[in-house]
Amino acid sequence: MRFRHPDGSTVHLSYCTNVHPAETLDGVLAQLRDHSEPVRRRLGRDRLGIGLWLARDAARTLVNDPAALRGLRAELDRRGLEVVTLNGFPYEGFGADVVKYRVYKPDWTDPERLAHTTDLARLLAALLPDDVTEGTLSTLPLAWRTGFGPQAARAARAALTTLAERLDALEELTGKSIRIALEPEPGCTVETTADAITPLTDVGAPDRIGVCVDTCHLATSFEEPRAALAALAAAGITVPKAQLSAALHAEHPHLPEVRDALAAFAEPRFLHQTRTRTAAGLRGTDDLPEAVGGAALPDGAPWRAHFHVPLHAPPAPPLTSTLPVLQDTLTRLVGVPRPLTRHFEVETYTWQALPPELRPRNRTQLADGIAAELTLARDLLTGLGLKELP
């Protein structure tokens, strides 16, 4: 979906296809047919943006087979879909029964992460619509925090510097500018937007590599949008992309009924880092079961859990979502004279990880839910003065 900002620039809204992951090119083509096109039809749109997730095997097939890449581009066009952004965070296995810590491998100390991201950038340059010259690619925030010392930091910085050089060369070759966005996430080396400032300043390529502001992650870490975005701007760090998502919020975690409600969201596939604010600073656990199952977290202040809940459907009381943080962030990103980013992606990949009674039972219900999320995001954008384009 495209919008015209009051400054005349085009703002793009998509949804991320990691909600129905596929490891192979055939799987990607099937998800376009079975999921993305039905979402577009529900919205009554001739064209719908998708934030494509290409796993390692699918990406390698496309890089090694130009005819297959042309075929994917033609299939996108045929189904009324367009791609201006890729989600390069998960490498493979995102649809596995257990993902958890695996999603952070390979990290930016591993040459394979650089190779994969380079491949994705080249593919994105080829998939961009003819009238779009800039694409974005979100990626993991360097690495999971454990075992990440000075030597690892130097290796990651060197990889990102090399990537920036490759992106410069890619633009010279294709005329397409591809920008990378590190996505701060709880538990990672770069957990908050503030954590991103030093490593990205060290890389020194702000026009190529910046931050992906994920509003679920921002909220989970109790970051205040105004201060977070102001600090990035003051440091000269760009925001190539933002992901529109909402976390779980528990206002009174000391109550047994609140613990029970949170426990219903503890599930085996994804990691749901949980955080609270204390006088001594942020405290947290790596996963939700650790928080609800004992005394791992102080419970005198609200808890937030990294569980991407559907934007339009907050959980029932006594829980709620951090949608207000999303709204505040969006206002500060585009409700300004010049937008800080022009690429937005709804990323609720946890539809099938919701408590059983909340999960979609079939493709139709999933498509209805994704369309409802995009409708909410569209309404927020138009409410900020943007004009929806055909």
Side-chain angles (χ1 to χ4, degrees), residues 321-348:
S321 82
T322 60
L323 183 63
V325 177
L326 183 159
Q327 294 170 305
D328 187 6
T329 307
L330 191 61
T331 298
R332 297 178 188 281
L333 287 171
V334 295
V336 290
R338 290 178 58 84
L340 300 184
T341 186
R342 296 181 177 88
H343 287 187
F344 293 92
E345 179 182 70
V346 171
E347 196 210 12
T348 305

PDB file of all heavy atoms in Angstrom, residues 321-348:
ATOM      1  N   SER A 321      -2.306  -4.658  25.127  1.00  0.00           N
ATOM      2  CA  SER A 321      -1.153  -4.582  24.236  1.00  0.00           C
ATOM      3  C   SER A 321      -0.533  -3.197  24.319  1.00  0.00           C
ATOM      4  O   SER A 321      -1.093  -2.276  24.918  1.00  0.00           O
ATOM      5  CB  SER A 321      -1.556  -4.896  22.790  1.00  0.00           C
ATOM      6  OG  SER A 321      -2.099  -3.748  22.155  1.00  0.00           O
ATOM      7  N   THR A 322       0.617  -3.059  23.683  1.00  0.00           N
ATOM      8  CA  THR A 322       1.322  -1.772  23.674  1.00  0.00           C
ATOM      9  C   THR A 322       1.021  -0.979  22.404  1.00  0.00           C
ATOM     10  O   THR A 322       1.862  -0.226  21.925  1.00  0.00           O
ATOM     11  CB  THR A 322       2.837  -1.987  23.808  1.00  0.00           C
ATOM     12  OG1 THR A 322       3.298  -2.783  22.702  1.00  0.00           O
ATOM     13  CG2 THR A 322       3.190  -2.676  25.117  1.00  0.00           C
ATOM     14  N   LEU A 323      -0.192  -1.125  21.893  1.00  0.00           N
ATOM     15  CA  LEU A 323      -0.584  -0.351  20.711  1.00  0.00           C
ATOM     16  C   LEU A 323      -0.366   1.155  20.900  1.00  0.00           C
ATOM     17  O   LEU A 323       0.030   1.840  19.951  1.00  0.00           O
ATOM     18  CB  LEU A 323      -2.030  -0.651  20.341  1.00  0.00           C
ATOM     19  CG  LEU A 323      -2.563   0.025  19.079  1.00  0.00           C
ATOM     20  CD1 LEU A 323      -1.805  -0.439  17.840  1.00  0.00           C
ATOM     21  CD2 LEU A 323      -4.062  -0.245  18.918  1.00  0.00           C
ATOM     22  N   PRO A 324      -0.593   1.731  22.087  1.00  0.00           N
ATOM     23  CA  PRO A 324      -0.322   3.168  22.244  1.00  0.00           C
ATOM     24  C   PRO A 324       1.131   3.552  21.955  1.00  0.00           C
ATOM     25  O   PRO A 324       1.387   4.654  21.465  1.00  0.00           O
ATOM     26  CB  PRO A 324      -0.696   3.438  23.706  1.00  0.00           C
ATOM     27  CG  PRO A 324      -1.732   2.409  24.022  1.00  0.00           C
ATOM     28  CD  PRO A 324      -1.294   1.183  23.277  1.00  0.00           C
ATOM     29  N   VAL A 325       2.070   2.652  22.240  1.00  0.00           N
ATOM     30  CA  VAL A 325       3.474   2.935  21.917  1.00  0.00           C
ATOM     31  C   VAL A 325       3.654   2.985  20.404  1.00  0.00           C
ATOM     32  O   VAL A 325       4.358   3.845  19.867  1.00  0.00           O
ATOM     33  CB  VAL A 325       4.405   1.887  22.550  1.00  0.00           C
ATOM     34  CG1 VAL A 325       5.863   2.136  22.142  1.00  0.00           C
ATOM     35  CG2 VAL A 325       4.266   1.900  24.066  1.00  0.00           C
ATOM     36  N   LEU A 326       3.010   2.049  19.697  1.00  0.00           N
ATOM     37  CA  LEU A 326       3.048   2.071  18.235  1.00  0.00           C
ATOM     38  C   LEU A 326       2.496   3.395  17.712  1.00  0.00           C
ATOM     39  O   LEU A 326       3.098   4.034  16.837  1.00  0.00           O
ATOM     40  CB  LEU A 326       2.246   0.891  17.688  1.00  0.00           C
ATOM     41  CG  LEU A 326       2.190   0.671  16.167  1.00  0.00           C
ATOM     42  CD1 LEU A 326       1.808  -0.769  15.866  1.00  0.00           C
ATOM     43  CD2 LEU A 326       1.201   1.601  15.467  1.00  0.00           C
ATOM     44  N   GLN A 327       1.359   3.812  18.228  1.00  0.00           N
ATOM     45  CA  GLN A 327       0.731   5.046  17.746  1.00  0.00           C
ATOM     46  C   GLN A 327       1.629   6.256  18.000  1.00  0.00           C
ATOM     47  O   GLN A 327       1.781   7.127  17.132  1.00  0.00           O
ATOM     48  CB  GLN A 327      -0.622   5.229  18.426  1.00  0.00           C
ATOM     49  CG  GLN A 327      -1.639   4.167  18.035  1.00  0.00           C
ATOM     50  CD  GLN A 327      -2.892   4.214  18.893  1.00  0.00           C
ATOM     51  OE1 GLN A 327      -2.828   4.156  20.131  1.00  0.00           O
ATOM     52  NE2 GLN A 327      -4.048   4.315  18.264  1.00  0.00           N
ATOM     53  N   ASP A 328       2.238   6.311  19.168  1.00  0.00           N
ATOM     54  CA  ASP A 328       3.132   7.412  19.501  1.00  0.00           C
ATOM     55  C   ASP A 328       4.333   7.422  18.571  1.00  0.00           C
ATOM     56  O   ASP A 328       4.733   8.464  18.030  1.00  0.00           O
ATOM     57  CB  ASP A 328       3.575   7.276  20.961  1.00  0.00           C
ATOM     58  CG  ASP A 328       4.366   8.473  21.457  1.00  0.00           C
ATOM     59  OD1 ASP A 328       4.488   9.476  20.722  1.00  0.00           O
ATOM     60  OD2 ASP A 328       4.886   8.411  22.588  1.00  0.00           O
ATOM     61  N   THR A 329       4.914   6.248  18.357  1.00  0.00           N
ATOM     62  CA  THR A 329       6.087   6.151  17.490  1.00  0.00           C
ATOM     63  C   THR A 329       5.746   6.554  16.067  1.00  0.00           C
ATOM     64  O   THR A 329       6.499   7.304  15.417  1.00  0.00           O
ATOM     65  CB  THR A 329       6.644   4.715  17.513  1.00  0.00           C
ATOM     66  OG1 THR A 329       6.878   4.310  18.858  1.00  0.00           O
ATOM     67  CG2 THR A 329       7.939   4.620  16.721  1.00  0.00           C
ATOM     68  N   LEU A 330       4.629   6.059  15.564  1.00  0.00           N
ATOM     69  CA  LEU A 330       4.224   6.379  14.200  1.00  0.00           C
ATOM     70  C   LEU A 330       4.021   7.882  14.027  1.00  0.00           C
ATOM     71  O   LEU A 330       4.428   8.465  13.011  1.00  0.00           O
ATOM     72  CB  LEU A 330       2.944   5.618  13.854  1.00  0.00           C
ATOM     73  CG  LEU A 330       2.512   5.612  12.391  1.00  0.00           C
ATOM     74  CD1 LEU A 330       3.577   4.966  11.514  1.00  0.00           C
ATOM     75  CD2 LEU A 330       1.189   4.873  12.231  1.00  0.00           C
ATOM     76  N   THR A 331       3.415   8.505  15.009  1.00  0.00           N
ATOM     77  CA  THR A 331       3.215   9.956  14.946  1.00  0.00           C
ATOM     78  C   THR A 331       4.543  10.680  14.820  1.00  0.00           C
ATOM     79  O   THR A 331       4.688  11.637  14.040  1.00  0.00           O
ATOM     80  CB  THR A 331       2.474  10.447  16.204  1.00  0.00           C
ATOM     81  OG1 THR A 331       1.180   9.833  16.247  1.00  0.00           O
ATOM     82  CG2 THR A 331       2.313  11.963  16.188  1.00  0.00           C
ATOM     83  N   ARG A 332       5.538  10.223  15.546  1.00  0.00           N
ATOM     84  CA  ARG A 332       6.841  10.886  15.538  1.00  0.00           C
ATOM     85  C   ARG A 332       7.658  10.540  14.295  1.00  0.00           C
ATOM     86  O   ARG A 332       8.589  11.265  13.935  1.00  0.00           O
ATOM     87  CB  ARG A 332       7.605  10.533  16.807  1.00  0.00           C
ATOM     88  CG  ARG A 332       6.891  11.027  18.053  1.00  0.00           C
ATOM     89  CD  ARG A 332       7.583  10.664  19.349  1.00  0.00           C
ATOM     90  NE  ARG A 332       6.745  11.012  20.493  1.00  0.00           N
ATOM     91  CZ  ARG A 332       6.628  12.254  20.977  1.00  0.00           C
ATOM     92  NH1 ARG A 332       7.301  13.245  20.423  1.00  0.00           N
ATOM     93  NH2 ARG A 332       5.841  12.484  22.013  1.00  0.00           N
ATOM     94  N   LEU A 333       7.303   9.435  13.632  1.00  0.00           N
ATOM     95  CA  LEU A 333       8.023   9.052  12.418  1.00  0.00           C
ATOM     96  C   LEU A 333       7.466   9.730  11.170  1.00  0.00           C
ATOM     97  O   LEU A 333       8.232  10.114  10.280  1.00  0.00           O
ATOM     98  CB  LEU A 333       7.986   7.534  12.238  1.00  0.00           C
ATOM     99  CG  LEU A 333       8.855   6.712  13.191  1.00  0.00           C
ATOM    100  CD1 LEU A 333       8.547   5.229  13.035  1.00  0.00           C
ATOM    101  CD2 LEU A 333      10.341   6.964  12.945  1.00  0.00           C
ATOM    102  N   VAL A 334       6.137   9.838  11.080  1.00  0.00           N
ATOM    103  CA  VAL A 334       5.555  10.404   9.855  1.00  0.00           C
ATOM    104  C   VAL A 334       4.641  11.598  10.089  1.00  0.00           C
ATOM    105  O   VAL A 334       4.316  12.304   9.129  1.00  0.00           O
ATOM    106  CB  VAL A 334       4.788   9.341   9.034  1.00  0.00           C
ATOM    107  CG1 VAL A 334       5.713   8.274   8.511  1.00  0.00           C
ATOM    108  CG2 VAL A 334       3.659   8.733   9.854  1.00  0.00           C
ATOM    109  N   GLY A 335       4.233  11.843  11.331  1.00  0.00           N
ATOM    110  CA  GLY A 335       3.385  12.997  11.594  1.00  0.00           C
ATOM    111  C   GLY A 335       4.199  14.259  11.792  1.00  0.00           C
ATOM    112  O   GLY A 335       3.929  15.050  12.695  1.00  0.00           O
ATOM    113  N   VAL A 336       5.193  14.419  10.965  1.00  0.00           N
ATOM    114  CA  VAL A 336       6.154  15.520  11.033  1.00  0.00           C
ATOM    115  C   VAL A 336       6.328  16.075   9.621  1.00  0.00           C
ATOM    116  O   VAL A 336       5.955  15.427   8.639  1.00  0.00           O
ATOM    117  CB  VAL A 336       7.510  15.038  11.604  1.00  0.00           C
ATOM    118  CG1 VAL A 336       7.382  14.710  13.091  1.00  0.00           C
ATOM    119  CG2 VAL A 336       8.023  13.811  10.844  1.00  0.00           C
ATOM    120  N   PRO A 337       6.910  17.267   9.491  1.00  0.00           N
ATOM    121  CA  PRO A 337       7.029  17.853   8.144  1.00  0.00           C
ATOM    122  C   PRO A 337       7.761  16.982   7.138  1.00  0.00           C
ATOM    123  O   PRO A 337       7.392  16.951   5.963  1.00  0.00           O
ATOM    124  CB  PRO A 337       7.783  19.163   8.413  1.00  0.00           C
ATOM    125  CG  PRO A 337       7.401  19.530   9.810  1.00  0.00           C
ATOM    126  CD  PRO A 337       7.306  18.223  10.541  1.00  0.00           C
ATOM    127  N   ARG A 338       8.790  16.266   7.599  1.00  0.00           N
ATOM    128  CA  ARG A 338       9.506  15.326   6.727  1.00  0.00           C
ATOM    129  C   ARG A 338       9.584  13.982   7.429  1.00  0.00           C
ATOM    130  O   ARG A 338      10.094  13.895   8.547  1.00  0.00           O
ATOM    131  CB  ARG A 338      10.923  15.840   6.422  1.00  0.00           C
ATOM    132  CG  ARG A 338      10.953  17.063   5.523  1.00  0.00           C
ATOM    133  CD  ARG A 338      12.392  17.533   5.302  1.00  0.00           C
ATOM    134  NE  ARG A 338      13.227  16.492   4.707  1.00  0.00           N
ATOM    135  CZ  ARG A 338      13.292  16.255   3.387  1.00  0.00           C
ATOM    136  NH1 ARG A 338      12.566  16.994   2.552  1.00  0.00           N
ATOM    137  NH2 ARG A 338      14.068  15.329   2.912  1.00  0.00           N
ATOM    138  N   PRO A 339       9.074  12.920   6.812  1.00  0.00           N
ATOM    139  CA  PRO A 339       9.062  11.621   7.493  1.00  0.00           C
ATOM    140  C   PRO A 339      10.474  11.119   7.794  1.00  0.00           C
ATOM    141  O   PRO A 339      11.394  11.292   6.981  1.00  0.00           O
ATOM    142  CB  PRO A 339       8.351  10.704   6.491  1.00  0.00           C
ATOM    143  CG  PRO A 339       8.499  11.365   5.166  1.00  0.00           C
ATOM    144  CD  PRO A 339       8.531  12.843   5.447  1.00  0.00           C
ATOM    145  N   LEU A 340      10.632  10.487   8.964  1.00  0.00           N
ATOM    146  CA  LEU A 340      11.929   9.931   9.332  1.00  0.00           C
ATOM    147  C   LEU A 340      12.186   8.608   8.638  1.00  0.00           C
ATOM    148  O   LEU A 340      13.329   8.165   8.533  1.00  0.00           O
ATOM    149  CB  LEU A 340      12.014   9.749  10.848  1.00  0.00           C
ATOM    150  CG  LEU A 340      11.858  11.021  11.693  1.00  0.00           C
ATOM    151  CD1 LEU A 340      12.071  10.707  13.167  1.00  0.00           C
ATOM    152  CD2 LEU A 340      12.837  12.089  11.227  1.00  0.00           C
ATOM    153  N   THR A 341      11.127   7.940   8.213  1.00  0.00           N
ATOM    154  CA  THR A 341      11.250   6.732   7.407  1.00  0.00           C
ATOM    155  C   THR A 341      10.039   6.661   6.485  1.00  0.00           C
ATOM    156  O   THR A 341       8.983   7.218   6.783  1.00  0.00           O
ATOM    157  CB  THR A 341      11.350   5.464   8.268  1.00  0.00           C
ATOM    158  OG1 THR A 341      11.610   4.331   7.428  1.00  0.00           O
ATOM    159  CG2 THR A 341      10.063   5.199   9.039  1.00  0.00           C
ATOM    160  N   ARG A 342      10.201   5.942   5.383  1.00  0.00           N
ATOM    161  CA  ARG A 342       9.106   5.812   4.417  1.00  0.00           C
ATOM    162  C   ARG A 342       8.713   4.359   4.190  1.00  0.00           C
ATOM    163  O   ARG A 342       7.898   4.080   3.314  1.00  0.00           O
ATOM    164  CB  ARG A 342       9.494   6.486   3.098  1.00  0.00           C
ATOM    165  CG  ARG A 342       9.692   7.998   3.232  1.00  0.00           C
ATOM    166  CD  ARG A 342      10.043   8.649   1.908  1.00  0.00           C
ATOM    167  NE  ARG A 342      10.151  10.095   2.050  1.00  0.00           N
ATOM    168  CZ  ARG A 342      11.263  10.738   2.388  1.00  0.00           C
ATOM    169  NH1 ARG A 342      12.370  10.039   2.601  1.00  0.00           N
ATOM    170  NH2 ARG A 342      11.275  12.052   2.519  1.00  0.00           N
ATOM    171  N   HIS A 343       9.305   3.453   4.952  1.00  0.00           N
ATOM    172  CA  HIS A 343       9.001   2.034   4.798  1.00  0.00           C
ATOM    173  C   HIS A 343       8.469   1.483   6.121  1.00  0.00           C
ATOM    174  O   HIS A 343       9.188   1.462   7.138  1.00  0.00           O
ATOM    175  CB  HIS A 343      10.240   1.247   4.380  1.00  0.00           C
ATOM    176  CG  HIS A 343      10.632   1.480   2.957  1.00  0.00           C
ATOM    177  ND1 HIS A 343      11.638   0.770   2.332  1.00  0.00           N
ATOM    178  CD2 HIS A 343      10.159   2.337   2.025  1.00  0.00           C
ATOM    179  CE1 HIS A 343      11.763   1.194   1.078  1.00  0.00           C
ATOM    180  NE2 HIS A 343      10.875   2.148   0.883  1.00  0.00           N
ATOM    181  N   PHE A 344       7.210   1.030   6.102  1.00  0.00           N
ATOM    182  CA  PHE A 344       6.571   0.459   7.276  1.00  0.00           C
ATOM    183  C   PHE A 344       6.117  -0.961   6.961  1.00  0.00           C
ATOM    184  O   PHE A 344       5.599  -1.231   5.874  1.00  0.00           O
ATOM    185  CB  PHE A 344       5.378   1.306   7.718  1.00  0.00           C
ATOM    186  CG  PHE A 344       5.776   2.661   8.231  1.00  0.00           C
ATOM    187  CD1 PHE A 344       5.823   3.756   7.384  1.00  0.00           C
ATOM    188  CD2 PHE A 344       6.127   2.832   9.556  1.00  0.00           C
ATOM    189  CE1 PHE A 344       6.208   5.001   7.848  1.00  0.00           C
ATOM    190  CE2 PHE A 344       6.512   4.068  10.033  1.00  0.00           C
ATOM    191  CZ  PHE A 344       6.558   5.159   9.185  1.00  0.00           C
ATOM    192  N   GLU A 345       6.290  -1.833   7.949  1.00  0.00           N
ATOM    193  CA  GLU A 345       5.966  -3.244   7.764  1.00  0.00           C
ATOM    194  C   GLU A 345       5.236  -3.755   9.000  1.00  0.00           C
ATOM    195  O   GLU A 345       5.762  -3.658  10.115  1.00  0.00           O
ATOM    196  CB  GLU A 345       7.266  -4.026   7.560  1.00  0.00           C
ATOM    197  CG  GLU A 345       7.122  -5.516   7.386  1.00  0.00           C
ATOM    198  CD  GLU A 345       8.481  -6.190   7.251  1.00  0.00           C
ATOM    199  OE1 GLU A 345       9.227  -6.242   8.249  1.00  0.00           O
ATOM    200  OE2 GLU A 345       8.797  -6.641   6.129  1.00  0.00           O
ATOM    201  N   VAL A 346       4.025  -4.247   8.808  1.00  0.00           N
ATOM    202  CA  VAL A 346       3.323  -4.924   9.897  1.00  0.00           C
ATOM    203  C   VAL A 346       3.942  -6.309  10.050  1.00  0.00           C
ATOM    204  O   VAL A 346       4.009  -7.072   9.093  1.00  0.00           O
ATOM    205  CB  VAL A 346       1.818  -5.034   9.590  1.00  0.00           C
ATOM    206  CG1 VAL A 346       1.130  -5.923  10.615  1.00  0.00           C
ATOM    207  CG2 VAL A 346       1.171  -3.649   9.569  1.00  0.00           C
ATOM    208  N   GLU A 347       4.412  -6.604  11.270  1.00  0.00           N
ATOM    209  CA  GLU A 347       5.097  -7.889  11.464  1.00  0.00           C
ATOM    210  C   GLU A 347       4.506  -8.627  12.664  1.00  0.00           C
ATOM    211  O   GLU A 347       5.033  -8.589  13.769  1.00  0.00           O
ATOM    212  CB  GLU A 347       6.606  -7.702  11.659  1.00  0.00           C
ATOM    213  CG  GLU A 347       7.361  -9.008  11.469  1.00  0.00           C
ATOM    214  CD  GLU A 347       8.629  -9.110  12.305  1.00  0.00           C
ATOM    215  OE1 GLU A 347       8.832  -8.276  13.207  1.00  0.00           O
ATOM    216  OE2 GLU A 347       9.400 -10.044  12.060  1.00  0.00           O
ATOM    217  N   THR A 348       3.396  -9.295  12.422  1.00  0.00           N
ATOM    218  CA  THR A 348       2.820 -10.181  13.432  1.00  0.00           C
ATOM    219  C   THR A 348       3.006 -11.608  12.933  1.00  0.00           C
ATOM    220  O   THR A 348       2.179 -12.119  12.179  1.00  0.00           O
ATOM    221  CB  THR A 348       1.336  -9.867  13.674  1.00  0.00           C
ATOM    222  OG1 THR A 348       1.198  -8.484  14.013  1.00  0.00           O
ATOM    223  CG2 THR A 348       0.783 -10.703  14.820  1.00  0.00           C
TER     224      THR A 348
END
